[in-house]
Amino acid sequence: PLRLPEWRTEQSREKAENAFAIDIESSDDCPYFSIRVIENVRIGPSPHWLKQRLQALGMRPVNNVVDITNFVMLEFGQPLHAYDIKKLSGRSFAVRRARDGEKIVAIDGKVRELSNEILVITDENNLVGIAGIMGGKDSEISDDTRDIALEAACFTPSRVRRGSRLLGLSSDSSLRFERGVDLQAVKNASDRATYLLCKYAGAAVRIGALHDAGSAQLAPMLVSMRLNQVRRLLDVELTSEQAARYFTSLGFEVSEKNSSAVTVSVPSFRRGDVAREIDLIEEICRLHGYDNLHEKMPDQTVCPKRPDRLALEVRQVLAAQGLCEAWISSLRSAQEFNQNESDWLVRVLNPLSSDHQVLRQSLIPGLIAAINYNQDRGNKDAWLFEIGRVYRLAGAPSASSDNHKDDVHGTGVVENLHAAGIISGSHIRQVVQSRKDDDAVTQQPGMHEFVDFYRIKGIVENLLEALRVPLNRIRFFKPEQAASLFHPYRVAQVACVPDAADNSKNGKAEKLIKLGIVGELHPFLLQDKQLRQPAFGFELDLELLSRCRAQHAFSDIAITPVLARDLTVDLPINIDQAVVRSLIEAQAGKLLVELELVSIYQLDELNRSLSYRLTFQDREKTLTNDEVEERLAIVRKALADSLGAQFRA
């Protein structure tokens, strides 16, 4: 059984004079507020036992008045505050919302500007405290204090929590008020503190010294528990008498019981966590004993959702290519995004700092900061990747928004799982040996092979191939909209051609599925972020990528040989390579098993040469040179007629 501390208060026979008037602006913010006048207090050190207990609980002893209010707060969970009466103006207290622009000097000596969302306590003319958080310095207890006004109140948790967040100020009192205090225990805590002040500070209390406003009483809260529910959930046969004994031992009052149910009145100190039948069953489970419950399998089982291994596979493939995984906060600074993007940012209501104002729309900025962090500490060859979620408001334009269905679940925010990577520095370290009489320029030992656009593009292609996305369905083309993070002329949109089988099922041709973007980061961005060398990156939408994966398929090993032919095409520079590739694949037919772009050569300012390697194979019979040359002739004619291509002898 709970042993309550003693709070018997002996009052003097004299009647209190000049009672305090108390005004509560809104009972929604403060249900109950009380002031008790305590006179002839002798400020001094606390008794040894009180100091020891406070220190054991992590609090620093100050003086007997402050220590007693802290001790009672730890005993009852009810914060108290003492005012020096001679420092107050008038004989009244008010609990109200602060006015915008009002200021107060708190006990910690700092001036804080208040707003209408913060609850304050005032005397007749001045602010004397921030309700539930911290008192004012102008009315605090000092060594020459003789008469005090002891405050004991109940403030609404949400109001104290809001004020604490807005001010960035947390205290022992605010932590307790934010979680809710027992309304019916407020007066008991005041009585207990008064008893200790009379005993250890020589104080005296007159008759009628307690002044309050609001109500400290709560309407009865009845909750019923059906015994058949206990049997169904716990597999325990319980009688109403047994249940009544369990609840009575916890301070509940049994208002009704019969053979099928028990109804109890919830005590005030348990109203925060007992409100439903299942809460009472949890108490029965705890008191009956977990070890006394029967072991059995669940009556019904639900097949678990098949785990999505896509993120794990992406992580393994990128790590195998030399990239290290980074874990970066989803919160970013709003300054990282341009004016067009700022309208669609998901903003945090109460950001902790200017660097954590919005949820990220891209993984690239965080990786850039990580690359910069590495380079500042001497690690110039940084290859990093991250798998995480990005956020945008529903309807916001994005690189892949054409392919997404905004499923926002009423929040107005769309979340997508992305994978991104950035590489900077060298690809491989090597020592080159040369002789003094070499005609070529002598290479120095320790030269590095630096990364470039084709290195990051190759990483993306390897990733897609490992994830069973057929490369013959992948297209790289110039983005329709300029990407602010990437170089305007060294960037490519990554897209996937929908499967022909899917199109035939739907009866209509689908658009290209835009998976993401790959390219060199913008030089101005690198300069702004103080990166000392070029960096290349990519970002892919994994949810869209999963739609492009081919099913596992198995086939016999081909016993026929392959025939490879090289094709060099001279074209105007404004013709996209993806267009050329699509035309070759369409004209070469099903016998073309692989098409690889081998090299690009700049002929002049207006023309370039693209060299492809075409691999043919027929799994049923051996191909002849004539059959392959016939296919190549069809390809050349189509390129010449459609694109004006020229060919080398």
Side-chain angles (χ1 to χ4, degrees):
L2 176 64
R3 290 196 309 169
L4 294 174
E6 184 178 2
W7 59 63
R8 184 185 68 260
T9 303
E10 295 182 0
Q11 298 178 337
S12 67
R13 296 181 179 181
E14 298 180 14
K15 190 173 182 180
E17 300 177 355
N18 299 324
F20 276 88
I22 299 174
D23 177 51
I24 299 177
E25 183 180 67
S26 172
S27 60
D28 292 336
D29 292 336
C30 177
Y32 179 74
F33 186 90
S34 70
I35 289 291
R36 190 190 297 267
V37 178
I38 303 175
E39 301 172 319
N40 299 325
V41 176
R42 292 193 300 272
I43 304 296
S46 299
H48 182 66
W49 69 267
L50 181 55
K51 290 182 180 180
Q52 279 191 322
R53 292 196 182 183
L54 289 176
Q55 289 172 342
L57 292 167
M59 302 194 79
R60 179 177 60 87
V62 180
N63 57 52
N64 50 3
V65 174
V66 175
D67 292 350
I68 286 171
T69 58
N70 286 336
F71 179 69
V72 173
M73 177 186 69
L74 296 172
E75 268 191 327
F76 283 78
Q78 171 63 49
L80 304 171
H81 186 71
Y83 302 94
D84 188 338
I85 290 182
K86 72 178 181 181
K87 296 180 181 179
L88 299 173
S89 63
R91 304 286 291 186
S92 67
F93 278 93
V95 184
R96 63 169 174 83
R97 298 281 188 96
R99 299 180 180 91
D100 291 335
E102 277 190 309
K103 296 181 179 180
I104 184 174
V105 181
I107 289 178
D108 59 3
K110 296 181 180 179
V111 179
R112 288 180 168 82
E113 185 172 342
L114 310 176
S115 71
N116 186 49
E117 295 186 79
I118 300 172
L119 197 65
V120 295
I121 301 170
T122 70
D123 59 13
E124 198 166 293
N125 299 315
N126 306 309
L127 299 181
V128 295
I130 308 171
I133 301 176
M134 188 172 286
K137 190 170 184 62
D138 295 338
S139 60
E140 70 175 335
I141 302 298
S142 58
D143 292 341
D144 58 351
T145 297
R146 288 297 172 263
D147 301 331
I148 65 174
L150 181 65
E151 169 204 314
C154 178
F155 303 109
T156 304
S158 58
R159 183 54 48 203
V160 177
R161 189 182 306 116
R162 183 61 176 161
S164 177
R165 298 300 182 275
L166 289 175
L167 295 174
L169 178 62
S170 181
S171 64
D172 290 319
S173 295
S174 67
L175 291 175
R176 285 163 174 81
F177 279 120
E178 286 177 21
R179 289 157 176 78
V181 299
D182 180 9
L183 178 60
Q184 292 186 344
V186 176
K187 189 176 181 301
N188 292 342
S190 178
D191 290 344
R192 169 67 169 167
T194 303
Y195 165 76
L196 294 175
L197 287 169
C198 292
K199 186 173 183 179
Y200 296 106
V205 182
R206 298 189 186 190
I207 299 174
L210 179 66
H211 316 288
D212 59 4
S215 175
Q217 299 300 316
L218 293 169
M221 180 178 177
L222 301 178
V223 181
S224 296
M225 183 190 73
R226 294 164 292 175
L227 298 179
N228 61 352
Q229 286 295 93
V230 178
R231 188 182 309 112
R232 185 179 71 85
L233 295 172
L234 304 182
D235 194 20
V236 170
E237 291 291 342
L238 193 71
T239 65
S240 57
E241 288 74 15
Q242 288 176 307
R245 284 199 301 272
Y246 285 144
F247 291 135
T248 303
S249 68
L250 295 175
F252 293 77
E253 292 183 6
V254 178
S255 61
E256 183 181 351
K257 64 178 179 178
N258 52 48
S259 59
S260 61
V262 175
T263 301
V264 298
S265 177
V266 181
S268 60
F269 58 88
R270 292 299 305 274
R271 293 198 177 198
D273 61 324
V274 177
R276 304 169 300 165
E277 180 183 47
I278 194 65
D279 299 327
L280 295 180
I281 295 176
E282 182 180 358
E283 299 300 326
I284 293 294
C285 182
R286 185 167 61 85
L287 293 180
H288 185 73
Y290 296 110
D291 52 338
N292 292 324
L293 300 181
H294 302 300
E295 297 180 3
K296 59 177 294 188
M297 294 294 292
D299 294 334
Q300 296 179 348
T301 57
V302 178
C303 182
K305 184 179 179 181
R306 186 174 182 179
D308 185 6
R309 294 179 53 85
L310 178 59
L312 176 61
E313 293 177 24
V314 172
R315 186 175 289 111
Q316 291 174 338
V317 173
L318 292 177
Q321 296 188 80
L323 283 78
C324 295
E325 184 173 9
W327 292 76
I328 302 170
S329 172
S330 299
L331 297 174
R332 308 299 306 169
S333 170
Q335 307 303 322
E336 293 180 352
F337 303 93
N338 59 36
Q339 186 65 34
N340 295 331
E341 297 171 326
S342 63
D343 296 336
W344 302 100
L345 295 175
V346 181
R347 300 183 180 274
V348 179
L349 292 179
N350 297 308
L352 298 177
S353 68
S354 59
D355 294 332
H356 300 81
Q357 295 175 323
V358 298
L359 290 172
R360 60 188 177 188
Q361 285 191 325
S362 170
L363 304 181
I364 296 293
L367 288 172
I368 292 175
I371 293 287
N372 186 27
Y373 184 90
N374 276 265
Q375 291 185 354
D376 285 347
R377 285 153 181 78
N379 183 21
K380 298 180 180 179
D381 305 329
W383 290 34
L384 300 177
F385 77 91
E386 183 185 10
I387 300 172
R389 293 196 173 274
V390 298
Y391 309 84
R392 60 183 175 87
L393 295 178
S398 69
S400 57
S401 60
D402 296 342
N403 309 111
H404 268 301
K405 293 181 180 179
D406 289 354
D407 184 13
V408 296
H409 304 291
T411 63
V413 178
V414 183
E415 301 181 23
N416 300 118
L417 184 64
H418 281 203
I422 292 182
I423 60 175
S424 181
S426 65
H427 167 57
I428 186 171
R429 298 184 179 185
Q430 57 185 359
V431 177
V432 180
Q433 182 179 3
S434 59
R435 295 180 306 190
K436 185 176 181 180
D437 56 350
D438 283 348
D439 293 335
V441 177
T442 303
Q443 299 187 23
Q444 299 297 325
M447 288 189 64
H448 295 182
E449 179 186 341
F450 288 97
V451 298
D452 56 9
F453 171 83
Y454 296 103
R455 177 66 59 184
I456 193 67
K457 178 174 176 285
I459 289 175
V460 172
E461 289 177 330
N462 289 340
L463 173 62
L464 296 175
E465 189 173 25
L467 296 177
R468 304 193 312 278
V469 179
L471 293 184
N472 60 358
R473 290 171 52 194
I474 295 299
R475 300 290 182 267
F476 295 90
F477 57 89
K478 185 177 180 180
E480 298 175 0
Q481 296 179 347
S484 59
L485 298 175
F486 289 87
H487 194 293
Y489 302 110
R490 299 173 187 170
V491 62
Q493 184 89 48
V494 185
C496 179
V497 178
D499 191 1
D502 294 338
N503 286 337
S504 62
K505 293 177 183 178
N506 298 333
K508 59 180 181 179
E510 295 186 13
K511 298 179 180 179
L512 286 175
I513 301 175
K514 298 176 183 178
L515 301 179
I517 198 164
V518 59
E520 181 179 348
L521 299 185
H522 202 295
F524 290 163
L525 177 65
L526 300 182
Q527 183 179 2
D528 181 60
K529 300 300 182 182
Q530 300 180 351
L531 265 68
R532 300 172 180 81
Q533 53 195 11
F536 303 83
F538 72 88
E539 185 163 6
L540 301 175
D541 189 323
L542 295 187
E543 295 177 19
L544 292 178
L545 190 149
S546 63
R547 292 166 47 185
C548 301
R549 302 179 74 184
Q551 296 295 327
H552 284 289
F554 300 92
S555 57
D556 296 334
I557 298 175
I559 60 174
T560 57
V562 298
L563 290 180
R565 294 290 185 272
D566 291 340
L567 177 65
T568 301
V569 187
D570 296 342
L571 290 162
I573 198 170
N574 60 351
I575 296 179
D576 198 283
Q577 189 273 144
V579 176
V580 181
R581 185 183 188 95
S582 297
L583 190 56
I584 293 175
E585 290 176 342
Q587 298 300 320
K590 296 182 179 179
L591 297 181
L592 180 67
V593 294
E594 186 176 356
L595 176 62
E596 180 183 3
L597 177 63
V598 178
S599 66
I600 302 174
Y601 182 75
Q602 194 77 29
L603 297 173
D604 51 49
E605 294 182 357
L606 300 177
N607 299 283
R608 65 179 177 179
S609 178
L610 304 177
S611 295
Y612 292 90
R613 176 157 296 158
L614 291 76
T615 303
F616 296 89
Q617 185 182 38
D618 188 339
R619 300 179 68 89
E620 297 181 357
K621 64 183 183 65
T622 301
L623 285 176
T624 64
N625 290 331
D626 293 339
E627 289 175 322
V628 173
E629 291 299 331
E630 181 181 350
R631 288 289 178 183
L632 284 176
I634 296 173
V635 171
R636 290 191 183 95
K637 185 177 185 305
L639 291 172
D641 294 343
S642 301
L643 305 177
Q646 296 181 357
F647 306 95
R648 307 284 182 90

